Amino acid sequence: VSAWQPQDDQSTHAAYTASDLMTAEGIATPDANNTLNLSFPMTHQMALVVIEMPKTIYKFTSTNYPDYTTDTEAEFTGAVQPLRVTNDTYRYLVNSQATSFPTIEGSYDDGSKEFSVTPSNLAAGHYKKYKVNGLTELTKSYAIQPGDFLLADGNLVPKEISLTEEQKASVTAIVFYVGHHENDASDYSATRIGQKKCHGYAVALQDATTTNIYCMWGVYNKELGLYPTYPGSNKRPNNIDYPDYDWSGYTNTRKIVNAAGGEQNLNKDTEAGYPAIWYAVVDYESKHPAPAKSSGWFLPSIGQMQRVHKQGNLLEETSVYSSLNGRYWSSSELYYSPHRSVVHVDLSKYYLDVSYKNKEECYVRPILAF
């Protein structure tokens, strides 16, 4: 045990587990028939250093939106590279019998704040927590705007910033609307946003559907109630000529998932599998997990999809965004024919149009709220 040497770089799960050491002593216990049962209970021989990072709080200066809290990612600058186990927690194994322990050095807030951790008084099989800067919250005054970058860890980067290659790899979505839209009836309390209203909306960097292959939307001749109504009445606004009435894409998506009997019943091949939703909610999430503190990916309503299209020039200024090209499904049923038709954005004609639900006629570009 004393000769065991954990790796300096434990930043991958494989390297971390390879640095661990567990031992056991055989214990023989006789049963009622005097048969010996031999067991080997394993115990950890290394000590564990747990590093916790402070939260980042965005205070939006140009709006009255609530503070947006997310996790702070560390960048370790020395040879010692801990494993990130949650969005704000890192682990590093050391041999408690060593005469000295390595100093763990790092920084956060784009390198502007540095820290170091020197472990001490460690015991085998136990862990010790180190709170960076006493977990003092990192507060940022932030004037959020369309075109800002949303990273995989939930942090925001202003659009004016020249992204590093590491940041480019971490960008998950781009903000296309700031604040909770007045016509979005979705309640985000049950999502990772954790409150009824969101701070804004961001669009995925690329299509969820396979390149140059359209998909169908879902079940034809079945109405799901995916259209807005005027407050206090059952009257339906014209959501093809006035799409800004229709902003509840998250609620629409959850209704479609329920109609399919749950996400496990979604698929890309059958009407009953609601392929457009499968691409947005299941397939895209498996390849590009939605950031922390977000709603998760969903199929946008026609108002949201049109806004993405209108922001196209702004979004395409970035080097990470793939432009829209062709026809794109929304999650909105056509107000006067909801049992058979869905409204979509047709970029070949530059206007909104309709398609039958069971026709393979559109692509899918997911969005999320945060």
Side-chain angles (χ1 to χ4, degrees):
V1 173
S2 62
W4 183 264
Q5 181 60 53
Q7 299 179 24
D8 287 336
D9 187 351
Q10 301 177 22
S11 58
T12 66
H13 183 72
Y16 175 81
T17 54
S19 297
D20 200 4
L21 176 65
M22 300 179 72
T23 63
E25 293 183 355
I27 300 175
T29 306
D31 61 16
N33 298 319
N34 210 31
T35 300
L36 289 178
N37 295 309
L38 190 61
S39 61
F40 290 89
M42 305 293 290
T43 58
H44 288 279
Q45 295 300 327
M46 297 297 101
L48 179 61
V49 177
V50 178
I51 300 173
E52 295 184 345
M53 300 297 296
K55 298 288 186 183
T56 299
I57 299 179
Y58 291 91
K59 291 185 177 294
F60 299 130
T61 57
S62 58
T63 68
N64 58 356
Y65 306 131
D67 294 345
Y68 173 67
T69 303
T70 187
D71 300 305
T72 301
E73 184 175 2
E75 181 179 355
F76 294 95
T77 53
V80 175
Q81 297 288 316
L83 173 70
R84 189 180 191 183
V85 289
T86 64
N87 289 328
D88 59 355
T89 304
Y90 298 81
R91 290 182 178 180
Y92 191 75
L93 292 165
V94 298
N95 192 328
S96 63
Q97 297 187 30
T99 56
S100 63
F101 304 123
T103 297
I104 303 171
E105 300 176 327
S107 65
Y108 61 101
D109 194 16
D110 296 326
S112 65
K113 293 180 173 58
E114 297 180 345
F115 67 89
S116 65
V117 172
T118 303
S120 62
N121 301 321
L122 300 175
H126 294 80
Y127 69 88
K128 190 173 182 180
K129 285 185 178 180
Y130 294 86
K131 301 179 185 294
V132 170
N133 287 349
L135 290 187
T136 301
E137 295 170 339
L138 174 63
T139 301
K140 292 184 177 183
S141 295
Y142 194 90
I144 188 172
Q145 57 190 327
D148 286 355
F149 303 99
L150 185 63
L151 305 185
D153 61 5
N155 278 291
L156 293 159
V157 177
K159 66 179 182 180
E160 296 86 359
I161 298 297
S162 180
L163 296 175
T164 65
E165 291 303 314
E166 184 179 10
Q167 286 175 325
K168 286 181 181 179
S170 184
V171 174
T172 302
I174 301 180
V175 177
F176 69 90
Y177 187 87
V178 177
H180 187 103
H181 193 279
E182 62 180 354
N183 292 325
D184 184 2
S186 302
D187 183 345
Y188 297 102
S189 300
T191 73
R192 288 173 289 177
I193 295 174
Q195 60 188 34
K196 184 174 182 179
K197 293 187 176 182
C198 65
H199 301 85
Y201 308 82
V203 58
L205 302 183
Q206 60 197 48
D207 294 345
T209 38
T210 307
T211 304
N212 296 327
I213 297 179
Y214 285 147
C215 74
M216 73 174 108
W217 187 90
V219 179
Y220 181 78
N221 211 28
K222 182 177 181 179
E223 177 184 341
L224 300 180
L226 310 179
Y227 45 79
T229 57
Y230 290 111
S233 75
N234 293 322
K235 293 183 179 180
R236 307 168 187 171
N238 179 342
N239 63 346
I240 186 169
D241 293 327
Y242 304 99
D244 213 44
Y245 282 115
D246 195 339
W247 263 76
S248 302
Y250 174 77
T251 293
N252 289 350
T253 297
R254 300 323 303 173
K255 286 181 179 179
I256 298 169
V257 170
N258 291 338
E263 291 185 11
Q264 70 278 5
N265 292 326
L266 298 173
N267 64 71
K268 64 183 177 66
D269 298 314
T270 67
E271 287 186 32
Y274 292 93
I277 296 296
W278 180 84
Y279 276 110
V281 174
V282 178
D283 189 54
Y284 198 78
E285 171 67 24
S286 69
K287 298 172 181 175
H288 308 279
K293 303 294 183 180
S294 78
S295 63
W297 298 111
F298 59 86
L299 188 64
S301 67
I302 191 56
Q304 293 166 330
M305 193 68 238
Q306 188 201 44
R307 186 60 60 95
V308 170
H309 163 52
K310 284 185 173 182
Q311 295 282 19
N313 291 337
L314 173 65
L315 302 177
E316 289 166 16
E317 290 176 0
T318 73
S319 60
V320 295
Y321 183 76
S322 177
S323 60
L324 304 179
N325 184 25
R327 296 190 295 270
Y328 286 83
W329 287 118
S330 78
S331 58
S332 301
E333 295 172 323
L334 180 62
Y335 76 105
Y336 67 78
S337 182
H339 60 293
R340 64 183 183 182
S341 300
V342 173
V343 191
H344 69 251
V345 173
D346 190 333
L347 300 181
S348 63
K349 302 175 182 177
Y350 297 101
Y351 64 77
L352 305 187
D353 207 343
V354 297
S355 291
Y356 289 135
K357 295 179 176 181
N358 61 346
K359 298 296 184 182
E360 295 181 351
E361 293 189 336
C362 298
Y363 299 128
V364 170
R365 179 66 67 98
I367 69 169
L368 55 79
F370 64 92

